[in-house]
Amino acid sequence: MNRIALITGGTRGLGRALSLDLARQGFTVFATGRTRRTLEVLAADAAAEGLDVRPLLADVADQEANAALAETVRAAGGLDVLVHNASVLGPRVALADYPADVFRAVLDTNVFGPFDLTRRLRPLLRPNAAVLFLTSGVGVVGKAGWGAYSVSKFALEGLAQIEAEELRSAGVRVFTVDPGSMRTDMRALAYPDEDPSALRRPEDNTAPFLWALLEAGPEHTGTRIKAQAWTAA
């Protein structure tokens, strides 16, 4: 049986690295993105390696897009891996100065999107499938200036814990992973004065994610992993 993965925000940064790594493991990978250019680049790079990566134009905040993604997965026969990587940062300003419409938009992408997509894909998750949520340190300890992004990650932590409990009986494993600092566009937005060359590249940070998705047993469901502190057992 062909193994199927869906990675949201799968065309850039860590999502792109995971899309290619899972394809190298023999998965058919559906990778979503919001810009045609990044979709085209990923498709070309995957084709150059002979990998089965299928980029899809989609926004997880859009319910119709999520319904279409579910139908794509249904047509493929089911799902073994779901990675909720798509996320937006929002402005780094105090809550008192935060635009209400932007606050809502950040939560739509970072919280509603994973909730809505997971509920649509639940019937398609195969036994021993893995669902992985990308979290952050500011989803555990709130910090001034992190606004809606921090709030969204607090909510995502709770969402993942509930999903872990509700999916346990179906044999579906659920994880959250805090990737830590990496050389990504979002990191550059958050820390514009930081030297990116001092940070890990996303493609050098996939090991803990692959362990959770491919090796961790059902006894590990609900685990929260800090990638920077992670070492293979």
Side-chain angles (χ1 to χ4, degrees):
M1 181 184 296
N2 189 25
R3 294 185 295 175
I4 307 295
L6 171 61
I7 301 178
T8 68
T11 65
R12 297 191 298 177
L14 181 64
R16 170 191 164 87
L18 287 172
S19 293
L20 294 173
D21 273 359
L22 284 171
R24 293 176 185 124
Q25 295 283 337
F27 280 78
T28 293
V29 178
F30 295 105
T32 76
R34 297 191 298 178
T35 60
R36 293 191 182 278
R37 177 56 182 161
T38 59
L39 292 166
E40 292 167 356
V41 171
L42 176 62
D45 291 346
E49 288 192 50
L51 303 176
D52 190 0
V53 177
R54 306 180 189 186
L56 300 171
L57 185 67
D59 182 344
V60 296
D62 183 335
Q63 293 186 67
E64 292 185 3
N66 290 338
L69 288 174
E71 285 306 310
T72 297
V73 170
R74 188 186 307 279
L79 191 64
D80 300 284
V81 162
L82 171 59
V83 178
H84 292 294
N85 176 68
S87 186
V88 293
L89 178 65
R92 291 286 313 277
V93 298
L95 288 174
D97 301 319
Y98 214 102
D101 58 338
V102 178
F103 193 99
R104 185 184 297 273
V106 171
L107 266 63
D108 279 348
T109 296
N110 295 3
V111 183
F112 176 78
F115 154 74
D116 185 51
L117 188 55
T118 302
R119 75 182 181 91
R120 294 177 187 277
L121 293 172
R122 274 191 179 204
L124 305 175
L125 292 167
R126 293 169 174 165
N128 203 43
V131 179
L132 193 151
F133 296 84
L134 268 290
T135 187
S136 168
V138 296
V140 177
V141 178
K143 294 182 179 180
W146 281 88
Y149 181 80
S150 179
V151 172
S152 74
K153 294 302 181 179
F154 269 93
L156 198 70
E157 295 267 357
L159 175 63
Q161 290 176 24
I162 296 168
E163 293 285 10
E165 290 303 310
E166 293 186 354
L167 290 170
R168 187 188 300 272
S169 62
V172 175
R173 301 164 298 125
V174 179
F175 306 92
T176 52
V177 181
D178 176 359
S181 56
M182 292 185 298
R183 197 184 308 172
T184 64
D185 292 343
M186 182 180 288
R187 180 78 183 187
L189 285 173
Y191 297 98
D193 297 327
E194 188 174 56
D195 178 8
S197 66
L199 303 175
R200 293 169 301 164
R201 302 180 305 162
E203 53 266 40
D204 297 327
N205 196 33
T206 60
F209 296 87
L210 296 177
W211 175 82
L213 296 172
L214 305 179
E215 299 180 36
E219 69 276 12
H220 295 106
T221 193
T223 298
R224 186 185 193 277
I225 301 168
K226 292 186 68 173
Q228 284 189 313
W230 187 88
T231 56

